[in-house]
Amino acid sequence: MFLPHLALRSLANRLLTTLLTVLSIALSVGLLVGVENVRTGMRESFSNTVSGTDLIVGSRGGTIQIMLYSVFGMGSPVANISHETWRKYDEHPAVAWTIPYALGDSHRGFRVIGTNGSFYEHYRYRGGQPITLIEGRTAHGVFDLVLGAEVAARLNYELGDRIAVTHGMSAVGFMNHDDMPFEVVGILDRTFTPVDRAIYVTLEGISAIHLGWESGAPPMPGQEVLAEDVLAMDEVPVSQITSFFLGAESRALTLQLQREISTHEEEPLTAVIPGVALSEMWRGIGYAEDGLRVISGFVVLVGILGMLVSIYTSLEARRREMAILRALGAGPKKIVSLLVLEAGLLSSVGALLGVGLVYAGIIGLQPWLEGRFGLLIPIQPPDGVQLAYVGAVVVLGLAAGLVPAAKAYRTALHDGLSLRI
Amino acid sequence: MTDGDACVLAHDLTFSYPGGDPVLDLPELSIGTGERVFLYGPSGCGKTTLLSLVAGVLQPPPGTLQVLGHDVGALSSPARDRLRAAHIGYVFQMFNLIPYLDVRDNIALPVRITAARRNRLSGSLHQAVAETAAHLGIEDLLNEKVTRLSVGQQQRVAAARALLGDPELIIADEPTSALDQDRRRGFLELLFQNVQDAGSTLLFVSHDLTLSDLFDRSLSLAELNRAGA
Ligand SMILES: Nc1ncnc2c1ncn2[C@@H]1O[C@H](COP(=O)(O)OP(=O)(O)OP(=O)(O)O)[C@@H](O)[C@H]1O
Ligand SMILES: [Mg+2]
C-alpha cells in the first residue's frame, strides 16, 4: 500500500513536530503504565510485609488494630494474652510454630518487642525471606537486645552498647527503667518492613523491666528490682504476652484453627489471617492510587489532544498537498485515511515507546528502588490492563485523527482545485 | 447531447460554491478530441472552477457536462475520482509537487494513488517514469529532492507526472505563469510535443494572451460565461 509510505514520509517531513508529538504521547502513556506498575509493586510489597504466617492472634479487638500493632508497629493493644493460653496453642497439634510478641515498651521512640528464638527462625517477609543478622547473635539472655536495621543506623549503636528501655511509648519517659541495662548483642539486616524499626529482646527481658511494677506504679523507694537481682533469679516469670504469630501444620488447618481460637473459652481472642487483612487494608488506602490513575488518564488525554492540535494546525500548511493529491485522483476518503493513518501512527508509536520507556526504566531502576525503598517492581510482560491502556490510546488517537480528517474531507469535497494559501 | 468527437462538452453548465452566487453559467462549450485549446479570462471569472468541474473534483449538475463520454454530474464521487485518476493529467500554476517525496515518487504519484492509471503503462512503472522524464529533459533529476528544483524544473516534473501513462486529457491551470518569457515557450513546446505524441487533448488556461497563437483555438471564458460578468 502506498498510503502508509505517504503518511510516513509526510510525518518524517515534519520531523520535529512528529518527534515532539510522539514524545508527549510516549511520556503520558509511560506515566499511565508506570503508575500501574508501581501500584502493583507497592501492593505486592505491602501485602508481603509479613508472609508465611497463617494467623496472627491478639486479644479481642479489630482485625486492623491487631495488624497495626503486631505487624506495622502502630497503636497498642487494649488487652494481653495470658502465658498459658499462648502455651496451649504453641503446643496445639495443628500448630507448627508460634512467635510471641510482648509490646508496650520503647527506647528513644522505637518499639521494644519481647519475643523468643522462634522470631529469628520463623518470621518471614516478602516472598518468604527470613530474618537475618548482619552482626552478632540472636537475643536469648534476659538483657540481650537485637536492633532492627533502621534503629541501628539512626541511633548509631554498635554491638556491646548498653541501653535503657522506657516503659510506655513516649520517646523520653520520665519513668526510665535506667536500672535495667540491656546490651546490644545483634543487629538485623534490612528488610524494608516495620521489622527494621523495632528493637527485639526476650520475653523475660520485658518481664524483668516490669518486676516491681505489678501495681502499675513505680516501685516504692528501696523496693526496686535491680539488674543483679534479676540475674540472680533462676527464671524470670513471664505471665503475659500481647499477641502471637502462628504457622499451622498445613494451610488447610488454618480456618479450623481460626474458628477454634475465636471461640476460646478462657479469654477473648481474635485470630487474623494476615494475607486477607493486608489486602483489606490495601483496599482502604487504595483510594490514593485511584486518584493517581485518574490523573495519569488525564495526562494521556492531554497528550492525545496535543497530537490533535498538531495535526489540525498542520492541515493549513498542507492544503496544497491535499489539493495535489485530489487532482491526481485521490478521493476524499483517501485524504481522510491518510490523516487518520498519521494519527494512528503517532499514537501507536507513542504508546509503544511509552511502554518501552517504562520497562527500560523498571529494568534500570529495579535494584535501586529495591535497595532504597524496599519497593520491588516486578519485571513481567504487560498484563491485560496495560495492553488495554495501550489499545485505548491507539483507538483514542485514531478517533482524534478523525477531527482534522473531517475538516480535510469537507475541504476536499467543496474546494475546487484552486491552490490557496 | 451526444458528440462522438468531443472530449469535453458542456451544455447549460451552471455551478455555484455552497452558499455562494453562481460562478459559472455556460450555455455551450465543446472541445474536440486531440484539440489544443487555450482558455483565458480575467482573474475570478471561473477558469479554475471550470477545470475542477471537468476534472470531476467538483460535481456539476447531471446532464450538463460530458467528459470523455461520461456524464460527470451523474457519476458518484469515487467514480469521478477514478475517471480523473485514469484519464486526466493535471498541472497546477505552481507548487505542483509534494515536498517530502523525491522527483521520481512525485512523477509516479498518480499510479501509486490509484490502480486506475497503472493499466495504461506499457512497461514497468520504473521504466515509464524514466521515459516520461527523458521526454521532458529531467532524467538527471529523478533522485533529487523536489525542494532543490528551480521553478522551471518543478513545472517540468509536474508535466511529466500529468503525462505519465498518456491520459486522454491534459488540463493545465496557468502552468507557465511563474516562468520567464523564454522558459514559457520552451515549456510549451515540450508539452505540445508530448501531448501530440500521445494524441491527448489539451485544455490550457492562462492570462498570457501572447501564447494563444500556439494553440488550435482560443476561448474567452468571460465571453462564454453568463454568470458574474
Ligand atoms: N472554494 C471556494 N468557495 C467559494 N468560492 C470560491 C471557491 N473557489 C473559488 N471561489 C469563487 O469563485 C469565483 C471563481 O474563482 P476561480 O478560482 O474559478 O477563478 P479563476 O478564473 O481561476 O481566477 P484566477 O485567474 O485568479 O485563478 C471567484 O469569485 C472565487 O471567489
Ligand atoms: Mg484560477
Side-chain angles (χ1 to χ4, degrees):
Chain A
M1 249 316 262
F2 184 63
L3 273 186
H5 175 71
L6 206 59
L8 280 175
R9 299 304 294 266
S10 145
L11 289 174
N13 188 48
R14 290 169 284 134
L15 195 61
L16 188 64
T17 323
T18 300
L19 286 183
L20 289 177
T21 308
V22 165
L23 200 68
S24 82
I25 294 177
L27 288 178
S28 58
V29 170
L31 185 67
L32 189 67
V33 174
V35 162
E36 197 60 30
N37 271 294
V38 170
R39 210 174 63 89
T40 313
M42 273 165 61
R43 188 179 47 214
E44 215 105 292
S45 291
F46 181 84
S47 42
N48 275 305
T49 309
V50 58
S51 70
T53 296
D54 294 313
L55 289 173
I56 298 175
V57 182
S59 77
R60 175 144 303 161
T63 305
I64 307 277
Q65 194 188 7
I66 291 176
M67 290 300 292
L68 283 179
Y69 68 72
S70 14
V71 177
F72 293 98
M74 297 162 93
S76 40
V78 278
N80 291 328
I81 300 176
S82 72
H83 187 258
E84 299 80 59
T85 302
W86 164 51
R87 291 313 308 160
K88 178 189 160 196
Y89 286 106
D90 189 56
E91 281 150 21
H92 193 289
V95 173
W97 51 262
T98 63
I99 302 168
Y101 263 24
L103 302 165
D105 297 295
S106 70
H107 172 76
R108 295 179 61 179
F110 291 102
R111 284 177 180 249
V112 173
I113 299 175
T115 182
N116 64 11
S118 237
F119 170 72
Y120 306 96
E121 197 180 329
H122 296 297
Y123 194 97
R124 295 285 183 275
Y125 67 98
R126 217 162 332 110
Q129 295 184 64
I131 300 289
T132 50
L133 286 144
I134 40 166
E135 267 187 273
R137 55 173 177 81
T138 63
H140 42 74
V142 183
F143 294 121
D144 285 355
L145 178 148
V146 170
L147 301 172
E150 193 170 332
V151 181
R154 287 272 197 87
L155 300 183
N156 243 330
Y157 286 159
E158 291 170 8
L159 292 187
D161 283 353
R162 293 192 162 265
I163 60 180
V165 172
T166 321
H167 185 44
M169 289 312 301
S170 53
V172 271
F174 66 97
M175 295 180 288
N176 274 7
H177 302 222
D178 298 321
D179 43 349
M180 296 294 175
F182 284 83
E183 186 189 341
V184 177
V185 299
I187 295 171
L188 297 179
D189 200 359
R190 245 182 214 287
T191 64
F192 298 103
T193 70
V195 168
D196 298 348
R197 290 188 296 275
I199 295 169
Y200 299 87
V201 297
T202 56
L203 291 175
E204 290 77 13
I206 293 286
S207 287
I209 1 178
H210 294 99
L211 286 174
W213 287 65
E214 286 79 5
S215 62
M220 303 298 280
Q223 295 186 357
E224 297 99 335
V225 182
L226 299 176
E228 49 264 40
D229 301 334
V230 173
L231 289 171
M233 295 163 90
D234 286 340
E235 194 186 333
V236 183
V238 175
S239 62
Q240 46 192 15
I241 62 169
T242 31
S243 54
F244 59 89
F245 294 61
L246 178 157
E249 281 292 350
S250 81
R251 270 281 147 82
L253 295 168
T254 305
L255 286 178
Q256 189 189 319
L257 268 168
Q258 189 187 26
R259 206 172 317 117
E260 188 179 334
I261 293 170
S262 316
T263 54
H264 185 79
E265 289 283 326
E266 289 76 18
E267 57 184 318
L269 294 178
T270 308
V272 177
I273 300 176
V276 175
L278 284 168
S279 46
E280 212 169 276
M281 291 169 80
W282 184 254
R283 240 171 289 141
I285 37 183
Y287 289 114
E289 43 167 32
D290 283 346
L292 220 58
R293 231 187 204 168
V294 169
I295 289 168
S296 33
F298 276 112
V299 173
V300 168
L301 272 187
V302 171
I304 296 281
L305 226 70
M307 177 188 76
L308 195 157
V309 169
S310 99
I311 295 182
Y312 202 90
T313 47
S314 80
L315 278 189
E316 279 308 312
R318 295 171 71 191
R319 287 182 84 139
R320 282 176 185 286
E321 186 187 325
M322 300 300 159
I324 293 166
L325 293 176
R326 283 287 279 150
L328 299 181
K333 285 194 185 126
K334 230 164 215 158
I335 304 284
V336 166
S337 316
L338 179 67
L339 291 172
V340 172
L341 191 66
E342 285 184 15
L345 279 170
L346 287 174
S347 54
S348 46
V349 170
L352 290 178
L353 185 67
V355 173
L357 282 177
V358 168
Y359 280 89
I362 295 178
I363 290 168
L365 294 179
Q366 196 189 37
W368 180 76
L369 279 175
E370 197 186 3
R372 188 79 177 70
F373 301 108
L375 178 65
L376 180 70
I377 300 178
I379 301 170
Q380 44 190 223
D383 60 15
V385 177
Q386 297 181 18
L387 290 178
Y389 281 162
V390 172
V393 168
V394 174
V395 169
L396 220 65
L398 288 173
L402 284 174
V403 176
K407 181 187 157 78
Y409 183 80
R410 271 199 310 279
T411 310
L413 268 190
H414 299 308
D415 277 14
L417 289 170
S418 43
L419 292 180
R420 293 142 204 272
I421 314 156
Chain B
M1 103 180 168
T2 43
D3 186 333
D5 250 10
C7 174
V8 177
L9 189 62
H11 181 75
D12 284 339
L13 170 62
T14 57
F15 183 80
S16 46
Y17 285 97
D21 294 331
V23 176
L24 276 183
D25 182 358
L26 285 183
E28 205 64 56
L29 174 71
S30 169
I31 296 169
T33 299
E35 235 186 329
R36 287 173 299 183
V37 173
F38 183 81
L39 187 72
Y40 66 95
S43 188
C45 77
K47 301 183 295 291
T48 301
T49 306
L50 177 61
L51 298 187
S52 303
L53 288 164
V54 171
V57 170
L58 296 174
Q59 186 172 27
T64 61
L65 179 64
Q66 221 172 21
V67 174
L68 298 165
H70 298 274
D71 181 355
V72 180
L75 294 179
S76 68
S77 169
R80 279 183 279 128
D81 294 332
R82 274 198 300 278
L83 176 69
R84 177 169 72 256
H87 304 287
I88 299 175
Y90 202 102
V91 185
F92 291 99
Q93 180 176 6
M94 51 161 78
F95 303 118
N96 270 287
L97 308 178
I98 304 279
Y100 49 83
L101 297 178
D102 64 13
V103 170
R104 184 188 302 280
D105 275 351
N106 260 289
I107 295 177
L109 211 48
V111 172
R112 289 272 175 68
I113 288 178
T114 65
R117 186 80 73 88
R118 185 83 184 79
N119 311 327
R120 308 184 65 93
L121 305 182
S122 43
S124 72
L125 175 59
H126 195 83
Q127 227 178 316
V129 169
E131 272 169 28
T132 315
H135 288 155
L136 286 153
I138 47 168
E139 64 271 34
D140 297 334
L141 301 176
L142 279 179
N143 297 316
E144 282 292 326
K145 289 181 133 191
V146 296
T147 44
R148 291 237 189 82
L149 303 184
S150 73
V151 178
Q153 287 168 331
Q154 285 181 34
Q155 292 305 72
R156 279 195 269 168
V157 173
R161 184 175 65 196
L163 290 163
L164 184 71
D166 300 333
E168 286 92 337
L169 175 60
I170 305 291
I171 298 174
D173 194 355
E174 307 189 43
T176 55
S177 62
L179 305 179
D180 60 43
Q181 199 67 38
D182 289 346
R183 300 247 158 98
R184 246 174 239 192
R185 292 259 161 188
F187 179 82
L188 271 183
E189 276 159 20
L190 266 178
L191 189 63
F192 281 7
Q193 185 70 51
N194 283 278
V195 165
Q196 197 157 11
D197 290 349
S200 310
T201 307
L202 176 64
L203 179 52
F204 188 101
V205 160
S206 180
H207 286 119
D208 185 5
L209 276 167
T210 61
L211 299 171
S212 64
D213 56 316
L214 297 168
F215 290 80
D216 297 338
R217 192 147 64 101
S218 297
L219 293 172
S220 163
L221 184 60
E223 283 169 26
L224 294 168
N225 189 4
R226 286 188 303 209

